[in-house]
Amino acid sequence: MEKPRDMFDRDHEWSALTRFIEDGQSGATLGVVSGRRRQGKTFLLEAAVRAAGGFYFGATEAADAESLRRIGEALTEHVRPASPYHFHHWSEVVDVLLELGANRPVPVVIDEFPFLARANSELPSVIQDAYRPLREQRMNSRTRLLLCGSAMSFMGRLLSGNAPLRGRAGLELVVHPLDYRAAATFWDIDDPRLAVSVHAIVGGTPAYRRDFARGDSPASWADFDNWVTRTVLNPETPLFREPRYLLAEEPDLRDRGLYLSVLAAVATGNATRGGMAAYLERKATDIAHPITVLEDVGLLHRDADAFRDNRSTYRIAEPLITFYQSIMRPVWAQLERPGSATRVWQGSRHRFASNVVGPHFEQLCRDWALHFADPNLFAGLPARVGHGAVHDPSTRTTQEIDVALIGIADNAKPPLLAIGEAKWNDTIGAGHIDRLRRIRETITANGKFDTTHTRLLLFSGAGFNDRARAAAAESGDIVLVDLATLYR
């Protein structure tokens, strides 16, 4: 299938769909496509259906009988049988879908599948039964059935554990947000500093530019503040209330106030379970369920401490929610009044730099080290990249490490490939390098990691002074990474 010219990026997803749909093997196959809302799943699947001549059905929140009637009408229009379809059970629907692939591989998409399954909990079992390995209707069909949904908690359970469809799917495709480099290209931004700042607000969600911002992108760094006030903080734009709707659209988030408070705790720096509990004035056990649900729906991400076992911190996975919690929610009443955006933003710039862009920049540095750094830069392939805290018993202090690259253990002590520090607004100097050297010595003394080839990574959004550059030139174990390198 030829990818549509107006589809930005998504080469991996399109290739995966092409292989699945054009697979010439006999027998109907099943695929699952998921991802948070606004990532372009529907656009992707509709384009695949058009390219291959298939059938697309978008479910809505409705009673089971209405959904059966709607899909019957859609199939009647698509197939144009001698008499219209009138379905009484989903098993009849699935058999008609299998008939669509009687002569060739045909993509069949059921979008927003969770709506149908919530109205009829038997539906996954119905599909399981229809896809029995030796069932004649399946064996004689080459229908490529794709179930798609944005309810991440539901879609995550669809193929797991003892779920009816476990083992039935030949494709499990997750449509992620664009990575930070692709997002900069998508927003037509060449200035790395501007790209980081915009990504810290809207992330890599394509719809936020095309639909929510109506194509409005900051023209330059000088235009950034104006763009924030006219687009993100403007109550007349869809982007303004989008963070609230993201929570409302998740069916598993029933006590929305509690979930908002958990996210607020993380956004204000209370990133551990204990910190969240203290912020909410509750016991840690009381917030275990909300944390798990937020993880399941893809709004909260748990990062294991790279240096201390059984300790984790949490971060918000959707940048727009971080921005909302840090900047918008505390002054929501002011922002709802038209004309207040400029005044609010002027008073929020410092908080934006410290609470939003600073932590976001650290995560981009970790993403660069894991996905974009030259493989030859380190003495091995990173198995994981994280952050953590190192306790120095000699000074009885704990030192934070923003970036830690850990290699593959190979039945020995895991190699610590690099440790790094990331500063968004600070110029890196020799003092930052000396600090990392002392921390490396402490880690070596602890004996948990092999630090033979541990390099020192220094990331800065503000640049490096002459002493830092001289130290890097003299030592082969120091790597300076500026904004241009992050996006190169």
Side-chain angles (χ1 to χ4, degrees):
M1 300 188 304
E2 183 178 355
K3 194 181 88 167
R5 293 183 179 180
D6 59 345
M7 181 179 293
F8 177 82
D9 197 60
R10 301 306 188 196
D11 294 335
H12 166 76
E13 292 85 349
W14 187 259
S15 297
L17 286 174
T18 299
R19 289 192 298 271
F20 176 78
I21 292 170
E22 294 183 345
D23 185 356
Q25 68 174 319
S26 61
T29 54
L30 175 68
V32 173
V33 179
S34 63
R36 298 209 314 269
R37 294 188 185 278
R38 326 291 192 234
Q39 305 308 323
K41 299 185 301 300
T42 297
F43 178 72
L44 183 71
L45 293 172
E46 284 188 323
V49 166
R50 286 196 301 270
F55 173 73
Y56 173 90
F57 176 73
T60 59
E61 286 189 280
D64 193 48
E66 182 184 0
S67 295
L68 283 168
R69 183 166 59 251
R70 286 188 65 245
I71 198 169
E73 294 169 352
L75 279 167
T76 296
E77 182 178 354
H78 180 76
V79 178
R80 300 191 180 278
S83 58
Y85 291 114
H86 295 286
F87 298 122
H88 301 286
H89 194 270
W90 283 101
S91 60
E92 302 171 283
V93 177
V94 176
D95 281 345
V96 171
L97 297 180
L98 292 178
E99 290 174 5
L100 296 180
N103 300 318
R104 63 180 180 88
V106 172
V108 173
V109 173
I110 298 181
D111 204 356
E112 296 299 352
F113 179 72
F115 287 153
L116 303 179
R118 282 201 296 272
N120 187 335
S121 59
E122 297 178 355
L123 184 51
S125 296
V126 170
I127 297 174
Q128 176 199 33
D129 182 68
Y131 271 71
R132 295 196 313 271
L134 298 179
R135 187 171 183 260
E136 182 179 354
Q137 290 89 335
R138 180 195 177 183
M139 295 292 292
N140 295 332
S141 170
R142 284 189 286 174
T143 288
R144 307 307 182 219
L145 179 59
L146 290 158
L147 307 179
C148 179
S150 302
M152 295 300 289
S153 56
F154 176 89
M155 298 303 293
R157 295 192 298 265
L158 199 57
L159 302 176
S160 64
N162 296 321
L165 294 179
R166 178 171 173 78
R168 292 286 194 265
L171 173 71
E172 187 174 2
L173 178 64
V174 180
V175 180
H176 295 285
L178 301 173
D179 66 62
Y180 73 89
R181 286 186 170 183
T185 303
F186 182 74
W187 281 82
D188 293 323
I189 297 175
D190 296 325
D191 180 351
R193 187 171 184 82
L194 178 60
V196 173
S197 300
V198 171
H199 194 268
I201 299 176
V202 294
T205 298
Y208 290 162
R209 185 186 185 195
R210 283 178 170 163
D211 303 323
F212 287 67
R214 297 172 297 203
D216 185 2
S217 178
S220 64
W221 177 249
D223 186 42
F224 175 69
D225 289 342
N226 290 332
W227 174 79
V228 172
T229 56
R230 72 176 180 257
T231 303
V232 187
L233 300 182
N234 182 356
E236 299 172 3
T237 66
L239 201 57
F240 180 77
R241 291 180 176 82
E242 171 66 4
R244 290 189 165 197
Y245 294 155
L246 282 174
L247 295 180
E249 289 170 346
E250 287 292 345
D252 287 351
L253 306 186
R254 295 182 178 87
D255 186 353
R256 197 155 64 97
L258 174 59
Y259 293 101
L260 280 169
S261 294
V262 171
L263 293 171
V266 178
T268 53
N270 300 284
T272 63
R273 283 180 179 262
M276 283 183 263
Y279 181 88
L280 298 173
E281 298 183 358
R282 297 193 180 201
K283 297 179 180 178
T285 53
D286 295 339
I287 62 170
H289 178 69
I291 290 174
T292 300
V293 173
L294 287 169
E295 285 187 87
D296 289 343
V297 301
L299 295 180
L300 203 61
H301 190 276
R302 184 176 68 88
D303 293 323
D305 192 298
F307 302 102
R308 293 188 288 181
D309 296 333
N310 302 321
R311 184 183 185 275
S312 300
T313 56
Y314 292 83
R315 57 182 168 87
I316 299 173
E318 173 52 61
L320 189 60
I321 290 182
T322 301
F323 182 82
Y324 167 76
Q325 292 287 353
S326 298
I327 306 301
M328 301 175 69
R329 190 170 178 235
V331 291
W332 185 257
Q334 294 185 56
L335 285 172
E336 284 190 305
R337 185 184 181 209
S340 299
T342 299
R343 176 175 174 270
V344 169
W345 181 239
Q346 288 175 348
S348 304
R349 289 294 269 113
H350 177 72
R351 194 182 324 114
F352 174 70
S354 60
N355 291 10
V356 180
V357 187
H360 190 77
F361 177 65
E362 293 175 9
Q363 183 57 43
L364 293 191
C365 294
R366 290 189 282 270
D367 291 342
W368 174 86
L370 184 61
H371 301 296
F372 298 111
D374 186 341
N376 297 319
L377 189 61
F378 312 111
L381 181 69
R384 60 189 177 99
V385 175
H387 59 98
V390 176
H391 178 67
D392 185 351
S394 63
T395 60
R396 297 182 180 179
T397 59
T398 299
Q399 301 291 334
E400 296 289 336
I401 297 295
D402 299 327
V403 181
L405 280 72
I406 300 171
I408 302 171
D410 287 333
N411 299 319
K413 287 194 299 185
L416 184 62
L417 305 179
I419 56 174
E421 185 164 3
K423 296 295 183 183
W424 171 244
N425 268 334
D426 294 345
T427 301
I428 295 289
H432 297 89
I433 297 175
D434 292 339
R435 175 179 174 271
L436 286 182
R437 281 177 172 151
R438 289 193 298 269
I439 293 174
R440 182 172 59 184
E441 292 171 358
T442 301
I443 297 173
T444 302
N446 289 342
K448 182 177 179 179
F449 294 97
D450 178 3
T451 60
T452 306
H453 302 289
T454 301
R455 307 196 75 175
L456 307 181
L457 295 175
L458 286 305
F459 302 86
S460 177
F464 309 90
N465 66 21
D466 292 341
R467 293 183 63 190
R469 294 186 183 280
E474 294 172 1
S475 175
D477 66 349
I478 299 173
V479 180
L480 305 183
V481 183
D482 57 13
L483 289 177
T485 302
L486 283 180
Y487 281 88
R488 185 173 299 133

